[in-house]
Structure formats: structure tokens, C-alpha cells
Amino acid sequence: MSILSWLENQRKLKLLNAPNYSQQESDGSQGLWTRCDHCGVILYIKHLKENQRVCFGCGYHLQMSSTERIDYLIDTGTWRPFDETVSPCDPLEFKDQKPYTERLKDAQERTGLQDAVQTGTGLLDGIPVALGVMDFTFMGGSMGSVVGEKITRLIEYATQEGLPVILVCASGGARMQEGILSLMQMAKISAALHVHQNCAKLLYISVLTSPTTGGVTASFAMLGDLIFAEPKALIGFAGRRVIEQTLQEQLPDDFQTAEYLLHHGLLDLIVPRSFLKQALSETLTLYKEAPLKVQGQIPYGQRGPLTKIREEQLRRFIQSPKNPNYKHLVTEFEELLTALTGEKTSIDSLTSDNLQKAFDLACNTQTRLDWLQVNENKISIRPVFK
Ligand SMILES: [Zn+2]
């Protein structure tokens, strides 16, 4: 241990032993003062709130509650919350020093929230967005089934309505008390995000605040098309000590900070809290004009270009004339061809040029037809798929 880190430890120890003014506030007795977690300066809460909970002494970004963050990010009067009544249950009947149900009740009474995330829609500088904000004060912002479900529902709603999603992460990871059910949420949210980002071609921005760790980092926090972070935020998967012990190596001092991650290419931008709203609104405005990420709505039920799988399905379908739909389909197809080409056309007397044209018209795309074989004016299906 170097002298500097020893001094740092002593300073932290002193801070730990000092009376904690912020505790009074959490008791509900409305304390007036709090202390900066970083430099130890005593701060007047009213002024601190006006400064968006950024320390006057050192510029450290203190934790912000989800409600404060929504007030700050969303235009006044436009916030529409989702699923406020969805509340957690205790499927494993988990108990450590305290039963899980009791912990939940405490947290709910203290924060006024049902679980560790608030989701909803609103306007951000006049731009409609779907916003999810995690709350670290509710059981360390841990991701249980309610957090997962609410975020998934938010993303699915945004996908249907063609809205960009912004998720503000602050979490200690998965919720231990819900075991595998909380780990499941990582896959669930990631799957919903895949549809949002890659099928509906919509924008997702994740904003990482201190701390973003564990299962949240391992899933949606790092999946953003753009990943923003607050200065000096702690972002990582496993704890520093665990990694040091596993690797048997001394890690750099700034390890797992936003600055370190930005330097190593894991983040796109570090934005101070006072500029966050502006940065988000400018990014969203920029993406309005972007060729990708503007499509909105899943192309559900629409006919896309013929994929290999669909070609194979079609091939098998045509190869089985016993299929009751077969005759009906052929009749319908012939009618369609007649309408398109302007003369009576049967499927047997069709040239591939005509068929290609008809397909293009019907699908509204260029379609590959090399899976069809034209022999002596007769169309058959190629036996082996190329
Ligand atoms: Zn400070």
C-alpha cells in the first residue's frame, strides 16, 4: 500500500466515523444538511438540490433519486408513468437476517416506490421519449422481476409506438433474494431491446450513473446504441477486490471509473449532470435525420424480402400438393398474375421474367427467384437448395 492510498483510507475512515447527516433525511425527519461522499464537505440540501446534487466543493455527482431525475429530464407536466402498481412478491420465501418481504416493505415505505425503477413516457425538450430511471435508494437499485418486467414493458411499448428509449441505470446488480428469477430478467430485457434496436430500428441510449454494477452492466446498461455516463461514475461487473484476488494483480487506481472505461472504448461520452438533458435532446434531434434508427414500429405482418427460411417454407409448401391450401393458393396466385400482367396467365405457362416482376410488385422488393427452375416453359422447384 502506498502512502497516498494509506492517507486516502484514513480519510475515508474518518468520514465513515463522522456523524451521518444524510441519515436524518432518510428517517423522514427532513434533515437540512448532508455530506459529500467524495470530499466530505458539509452541504446544505436545499442548495444541493438546486445544483442537481453536484457537490459545490469538488464537483462530485451525488446520488439522485429517480423522482428528482425525472423532474430534471422530462418537461414539466408531460410525465406519464407506467405500471406503478406492479409490486414484487417473494417466490423463494427468502430469509437472511430479515425476511425478504420485510425488506421490501421497509424500502417501499421509505422511498414511496413499489420497486427500484420508474418507467413512463414524457417529452424531453419537446421530443417524445420512453424513459426508465432506476433508484439506488430502493434496495441498492437491485434488479428483481419487477424491475425486469417494467423495463421490458417500457421497451415493448416504445417499440410499438416508435419511441426512442432512454434508461438511466443505477444498480448494484441482480436481486439476490429472487435468485434465478432476477437473473432471467437480463435475458428478457436484452431480447426486448434486440427487437427494439435491430428489428424496429429504433434508438436506445443508456445513461450510466454511479454505481452501475453486476447484472445490469452485464445486460441492458452496455447494450445502448449510445452509452453515456456521469463523471467519475463507478461502472463494473464484479467488485474490485474480487478481480484483484482472481487475477493476482494490482489494478490501476481509476479502474472501473467512467473515465477509465471511456479511455478503453466502452463508453461513448461522459456528460456532467448539468448538460445531460441538453446532450440527450441534441442526440435525439440528430438521430431524427439519421438514415438508420428512425423506422419506428416493428414491421409486423409486413412482407419483407424473401429470406432463406421463407424460401424453404415456400418450397416445401409447393412441393406438397396434398396441402388443402395448395389449390386455393395457386388459383389466387393465377388471379393475381392475370391482374398484374393484364392477360390470362396460368402458373404453368409463366416465364421467369413475368414471375419476377409479379413477385417484385407483390412484395414491393427485389426478390431472388433462383430457387425456381424454368424448363420448357414449365416451372419446377430446384431439388437442392443452393
Ligand atoms: Zn465534494
Side-chain angles (χ1 to χ4, degrees):
M1 188 188 283
S2 72
I3 291 204
L4 275 178
S5 53
W6 182 83
L7 282 172
E8 178 76 359
N9 282 351
Q10 290 299 308
R11 192 182 58 78
K12 279 182 186 157
L13 214 65
K14 221 186 263 172
L15 287 182
L16 268 174
N17 294 332
N20 193 346
Y21 295 94
S22 61
Q23 261 173 12
Q24 287 175 1
E25 193 198 21
S26 57
D27 290 345
S29 56
Q30 290 297 317
L32 291 176
W33 300 89
T34 187
R35 200 184 55 221
C36 171
D37 301 331
H38 190 247
C39 68
V41 149
I42 303 292
L43 301 154
Y44 187 40
I45 287 185
K46 195 179 161 214
H47 292 165
L48 190 65
K49 274 187 182 167
E50 283 164 9
N51 200 32
Q52 293 159 1
R53 291 198 179 266
V54 176
C55 171
F56 291 98
C58 64
Y60 182 76
H61 288 49
L62 279 88
Q63 238 139 48
M64 216 176 178
S65 79
S66 50
T67 313
E68 279 173 325
R69 216 173 260 283
I70 291 166
D71 285 346
Y72 160 57
L73 284 177
I74 295 292
D75 301 348
T76 319
T78 61
W79 177 245
R80 192 161 64 90
F82 284 174
D83 306 313
E84 280 178 301
T85 50
V86 179
S87 20
C89 52
D90 183 14
L92 305 181
E93 291 170 8
F94 192 89
K95 196 176 170 193
D96 44 289
Q97 288 123 338
K98 238 184 184 184
Y100 176 43
T101 41
E102 225 167 87
R103 279 185 197 279
L104 279 173
K105 213 172 139 223
D106 285 354
Q108 284 170 343
E109 275 169 12
R110 196 163 36 78
T111 58
L113 300 171
Q114 284 300 306
D115 212 305
V117 73
Q118 289 200 60
T119 56
T121 56
L123 299 179
L124 191 151
D125 273 352
I127 306 166
V129 292
L131 176 73
V133 184
M134 301 189 78
D135 201 310
F136 193 76
T137 51
F138 192 104
M139 295 188 73
S142 54
M143 175 174 59
S145 12
V146 171
V147 173
E149 180 64 22
K150 281 181 80 169
I151 293 179
T152 308
R153 285 188 195 181
L154 177 80
I155 297 167
E156 284 174 351
Y157 177 83
T159 311
Q160 273 166 17
E161 298 296 319
L163 295 174
V165 170
I166 299 169
L167 292 179
V168 181
C169 311
S171 174
R175 189 169 292 170
M176 301 294 184
Q177 291 88 342
E178 291 188 22
I180 190 72
L181 296 170
S182 80
L183 294 180
M184 274 275 308
Q185 310 307 320
M186 294 163 62
K188 190 165 89 178
I189 299 172
S190 304
L193 273 176
H194 170 76
V195 177
H196 181 81
Q197 293 176 289
N198 301 330
C199 303
K201 303 261 185 263
L202 285 162
L203 182 67
Y204 162 47
I205 301 175
S206 63
V207 180
L208 314 187
T209 69
S210 198
T212 301
T213 54
V216 171
T217 316
S219 61
F220 59 91
M222 287 296 173
L223 286 175
D225 292 305
L226 288 168
I227 308 174
F228 293 175
E230 286 189 341
K232 297 208 177 85
L234 171 80
I235 302 158
F237 179 66
R240 185 192 178 92
R241 201 155 19 109
V242 176
I243 301 176
E244 270 179 343
Q245 279 169 3
T246 315
L247 297 180
Q248 299 290 325
E249 254 177 53
Q250 185 76 31
L251 295 167
D253 281 343
D254 60 348
F255 185 67
Q256 293 187 329
T257 60
E259 285 75 12
Y260 183 87
L261 295 182
L262 181 74
H263 182 69
H264 288 81
L266 270 94
L267 299 179
D268 293 301
L269 195 63
I270 294 179
V271 200
R273 202 172 275 165
S274 47
F275 294 120
L276 185 61
K277 185 172 182 178
Q278 198 185 343
L280 285 172
S281 96
E282 277 178 21
T283 313
L284 292 170
T285 314
L286 179 76
Y287 267 84
K288 262 192 205 162
E289 309 294 329
L292 280 171
K293 301 288 172 192
V294 287
Q295 193 173 319
Q297 303 200 346
I298 322 181
Y300 184 74
Q302 272 177 25
R303 207 181 291 261
L306 221 54
T307 59
K308 293 253 178 203
I309 292 172
R310 214 174 293 166
E311 277 180 26
E312 180 63 21
Q313 281 172 341
L314 208 55
R315 199 163 67 86
R316 287 184 188 178
F317 178 76
I318 297 174
Q319 271 173 342
S320 58
K322 278 181 196 158
N323 191 322
N325 286 327
Y326 179 74
K327 213 172 166 206
H328 174 68
L329 193 85
V330 168
T331 323
E332 215 171 58
F333 190 59
E334 280 175 348
E335 274 170 21
L336 181 74
L337 285 174
T338 311
L340 287 171
T341 50
E343 55 192 60
K344 181 93 183 125
T345 318
S346 84
I347 200 165
D348 296 333
S349 66
L350 203 69
T351 62
S352 62
D353 276 356
N354 260 347
L355 198 60
Q356 177 77 60
K357 247 184 255 167
F359 250 99
D360 287 353
L361 275 169
C363 302
N364 204 17
T365 48
Q366 292 283 315
T367 311
R368 274 179 56 235
L369 274 184
D370 51 2
W371 53 279
L372 286 174
Q373 230 172 11
V374 184
N375 275 335
E376 297 157 7
N377 263 356
K378 217 175 167 198
I379 298 167
S380 59
I381 310 294
R382 204 171 267 168
V384 182
F385 203 66
K386 233 185 179 178

